[in-house]
Amino acid sequence: MNSLHCRLAALALLFNISAALAHDATMGAHEASRDPVEALLLAAGLPLAALADPPPAGTPTCRLTIKLVDAKTQRPVSGLVRVTRANGEAVPLASLLPRGIGLRPDHPGREWFALLESATVAVGREPLRIESIAGLEAERASQALDLRGKEAAEVTLAPARFAEPARSGWRGGNTHLHLRGLSRAQADEYLRTIPRADGLEMLFVSYLLRPSEDAKYISNVYTPGEIRALSGPGLQFGWGEEHRSNFGAGGEGFGHVLLLNLPRLIEPVSVGPGITGAGFDYPPLRRGMDEARRVGGTVIWCHNAFGFEDVPDWLGGRLHAHNIFDGGNRGGYAETFYRFLNAGLKVPFSTGTDWFIYDFARVYARLNGPLTEQSWLASLTAGRTFITNGPLLELHADEAEIGDTLRLDRDRTIQTTARATGRTDFKKIELVHNGAVIAEAPSRQVGGHFEAELKHPVGVTGPGWLALRVAGRGLVSEGLPPLSAAGVRDETAARNELDEPLFAHTSPIYLEFAGRTLFQPDAARTLLADLEASELAIRTTGRFQDDAQRDEVLAGYRDAAAALRRKLGP
């Protein structure tokens, strides 16, 4: 079953399983078409490392031991490795777990393999190049080897760290993950290996329900205690659920929201016939959010601007944070964050990866003490965060740090300092004030990584907010680039090793002025227009048992609209 010959022979058996492997409607293009050979091997319950082909039978091989160490301390570290031939072709490493499990057949993650400190692999006796990356904080290490005529060899790669965010309390986490199509043993292997190889420190695995697909949702079989029991040195696990609603199969409904740090499931997990195939578009998600908060849970909006209920729930104070790029591309920063901030709300930035860990996307939260599920979420909800799939960000405004409120009682100039570092060239950083770029600085290469710094005085004459971002994904609706306005892939877009367009953005530093917080009428009017459009869509598309159900759902939108109109005045 491991051999390429058997894998190809089995392909003929798989034409009838495509429907069974259909993905949830919210899944992104990174997972849109699973390799059918991989699907068969997964269904056979084989270890995930079996998905990498060994060298052809009869080929002389070399037993290559690969070790990863920190360049400064020489202590063992975990990371990803890639082996390539002289022509650039990637070499499968049959004893290691492929990074691209669950992703599309051409995903770049399939060329990288998870290495927990050291391993011995069988490779051809030929000239090879070995590369490694360790988290987002170290340069790529690379070494050429000539293995011709060798039965065994050893190589130690030492990625050099250019940043140590944990020393300042910054701990990287993924708030949104589900797995499907694996056996329990395979899921255990995935969860124990891929997050550690990626350098994640906090990972939430969530339950979700679609009755027609539930049998394949392997992450649903874990109890909260079993998920948390996967925790160990360097990596903490948390549990929750994705509470969600769609009108029609994959259509926009009330939306999707993560309920994390729960003691139990909040029922109903999914709402309406668009997901469950039965019943009505009732109750609204806010009822589940209120119950989650009552039992001490954390509530995070999913999928950018997808769904009707984000506006009334942010205005109603039910949400703790907002995910962007967690398996969705609908809306950039202006739609998901800036208008909420400009309407006077505090909105912590967050992110995750939804189905499988297809990107390096994570949210760093700054802690003052040990890392636990509760301490990390407390920092997230306080807004001490930045999101990224590559560059690491720093921002200060006078004595204030990310998530702080700087209180001013008169017109004053404050000094901002900002910095970004990254393994991949992120081109430039931009300082954002109330949604507008007021300063920028280009990146420059420093050894095997890139840096950018700026110091900029900001004259403050009223309330507002400041944030730092890199120029890239999230600046245009629909998450562009990766495609140009003409629908052509933008080859100039900065991308990471998994071929995802780079993004990074801090949560704000808030500026309170003479006791006032920011309220821009234009931003409030866009939210009001959203509420009115959502009410119309729910009236025309939603399915309700009676007028009482519909009126209860719409009451949340009407109450939020009334509150905005009162603030806008006559």
Side-chain angles (χ1 to χ4, degrees):
M1 181 69 71
N2 264 352
S3 72
L4 179 60
H5 175 77
C6 290
R7 285 161 60 95
L8 293 176
L11 186 58
L13 302 175
L14 299 169
F15 289 113
N16 62 345
I17 68 170
S18 58
L21 295 173
H23 280 255
D24 186 279
T26 62
M27 292 184 182
H30 45 269
E31 324 165 84
S33 179
R34 174 178 286 178
D35 179 355
V37 174
E38 175 184 288
L40 179 65
L41 294 175
L42 293 174
L46 295 173
L48 295 178
L51 301 183
D53 291 310
T59 301
T61 60
C62 172
R63 288 177 51 80
L64 175 63
T65 299
I66 306 174
K67 298 180 178 180
L68 296 185
V69 300
D70 181 275
K72 181 178 180 180
T73 66
Q74 294 299 298
R75 292 177 180 170
V77 296
S78 297
L80 301 177
V81 295
R82 180 171 66 178
V83 178
T84 52
R85 296 188 171 93
N87 62 2
E89 178 186 359
V91 176
L93 304 178
S95 59
L96 298 183
L97 185 61
R99 176 60 177 78
I101 293 295
L103 307 182
R104 67 179 192 265
D106 63 344
H107 194 281
R110 293 179 177 274
E111 296 185 354
W112 293 90
F113 292 80
L115 181 65
L116 302 185
E117 299 185 358
S118 67
T120 299
V121 298
V123 295
R125 299 181 187 181
E126 58 184 315
L128 298 174
R129 176 163 294 279
I130 320 296
E131 300 171 277
S132 70
I133 53 179
L136 300 182
E137 306 156 14
E139 298 176 353
R140 186 181 305 202
S142 178
Q143 188 168 332
L145 298 176
D146 189 346
L147 302 181
R148 286 176 291 189
K150 295 185 177 181
E151 294 184 0
E154 182 176 301
V155 61
T156 298
L157 297 174
R161 293 190 181 275
F162 52 80
E164 296 185 86
R167 286 185 174 272
S168 301
W170 291 102
R171 316 302 290 270
N174 180 334
T175 61
H176 190 176
L177 180 67
H178 320 286
L179 300 177
R180 60 170 287 145
L182 307 178
S183 70
R184 173 60 185 267
Q186 290 167 339
D188 284 351
E189 184 183 1
Y190 185 99
L191 291 172
R192 293 183 188 281
T193 305
I194 297 296
R196 285 182 169 84
D198 269 13
L200 282 167
E201 298 169 279
M202 185 76 231
L203 178 61
F204 288 89
V205 180
S206 293
Y207 183 99
L208 79 168
L209 179 65
R210 181 185 293 275
S212 63
E213 296 287 313
D214 186 55
K216 305 180 191 71
Y217 292 173
I218 187 61
S219 44
N220 282 4
V221 309
Y222 291 88
T223 67
E226 288 171 337
I227 285 292
R228 292 174 174 124
L230 293 170
S231 299
L235 177 61
Q236 294 291 311
F237 280 86
W239 181 85
E241 75 174 70
E242 185 174 351
H243 186 43
R244 57 186 191 158
S245 154
N246 292 81
F247 289 0
E252 188 173 21
F254 301 148
H256 296 202
V257 65
L258 292 166
L259 310 178
L260 304 182
N261 191 30
L262 298 176
R264 56 173 172 79
L265 284 176
I266 304 297
E267 302 282 3
V269 175
S270 292
V271 174
I275 293 179
T276 67
F280 301 94
D281 294 307
Y282 179 87
L285 297 181
R286 64 178 182 271
R287 183 182 291 185
M289 297 183 202
D290 290 344
E291 176 63 11
R293 292 178 67 108
R294 189 187 69 79
V295 298
T298 299
V299 183
I300 303 176
W301 189 261
C302 301
H303 306 314
N304 304 31
F306 182 81
F308 303 137
E309 212 176 310
D310 60 332
V311 176
D313 289 330
W314 269 116
L315 293 172
R318 290 183 172 86
L319 292 161
H320 289 109
H322 199 119
N323 271 4
I324 191 168
F325 309 141
D326 60 334
N329 287 325
R330 181 166 178 168
Y333 299 134
E335 294 89 343
T336 52
F337 294 111
Y338 294 175
R339 60 184 186 151
F340 286 127
L341 296 170
N342 288 342
L345 301 174
K346 291 189 174 182
V347 182
F349 285 32
S350 180
T351 193
T353 53
D354 200 3
W355 289 100
F356 293 90
I357 306 176
Y358 64 84
D359 191 7
F360 294 133
R362 65 200 61 186
V363 49
Y364 280 85
R366 180 169 55 85
L367 280 62
N368 294 321
L371 171 64
T372 66
E373 182 178 357
Q374 291 74 26
S375 67
W376 191 88
L377 286 172
S379 293
L380 174 73
T381 60
R384 297 192 292 269
T385 67
F386 68 88
I387 61 172
T388 185
N389 66 348
L392 307 173
L393 303 181
E394 301 173 31
L395 177 65
H396 294 80
D398 282 357
E399 69 275 14
E401 299 185 47
I402 297 166
D404 289 345
T405 297
L406 187 61
R407 294 178 172 86
L408 308 173
D409 57 6
R410 65 185 187 282
D411 292 2
R412 187 154 73 82
T413 297
I414 61 175
Q415 183 64 47
T416 60
T417 58
R419 186 169 185 265
T421 56
R423 184 170 53 239
T424 303
D425 188 3
F426 49 86
K427 308 299 184 184
K428 65 178 178 179
I429 55 174
E430 298 174 326
L431 182 65
V432 182
H433 181 214
N434 297 353
V437 176
I438 59 171
E440 61 182 44
S443 62
R444 67 184 188 283
Q445 188 164 2
V446 180
H449 69 279
F450 295 83
E451 299 181 0
E453 296 179 345
L454 67 80
K455 295 184 178 181
H456 185 74
V458 180
V460 180
T461 60
W465 56 272
L466 293 163
L468 182 69
R469 72 189 190 193
V470 302
R473 188 180 185 190
L475 306 189
V476 182
S477 236
E478 305 304 323
L480 300 178
L483 300 181
S484 70
V488 178
R489 176 184 165 93
D490 182 359
E491 297 296 347
T492 68
R495 295 171 181 270
N496 62 25
E497 290 87 354
L498 299 182
D499 199 36
E500 293 290 335
L502 290 181
F503 68 86
H505 205 304
T506 69
S507 289
I509 294 173
Y510 299 93
L511 305 175
E512 185 180 295
F513 190 85
R516 294 182 291 115
T517 56
L518 182 65
F519 182 78
Q520 290 185 352
D522 286 348
R525 291 187 187 100
T526 68
L527 297 179
L528 185 59
D530 255 18
L531 290 166
E532 293 169 345
S534 295
E535 182 174 350
L536 178 60
I538 292 167
R539 281 186 176 278
T540 57
T541 311
R543 293 177 57 184
F544 301 99
Q545 185 174 23
D546 50 36
D547 290 346
Q549 282 191 355
R550 184 190 63 243
D551 289 344
E552 181 184 340
V553 168
L554 293 177
Y557 298 81
R558 293 169 182 159
D559 291 347
L564 277 180
R565 291 190 183 100
R566 286 193 296 271
K567 293 197 73 171
L568 285 167

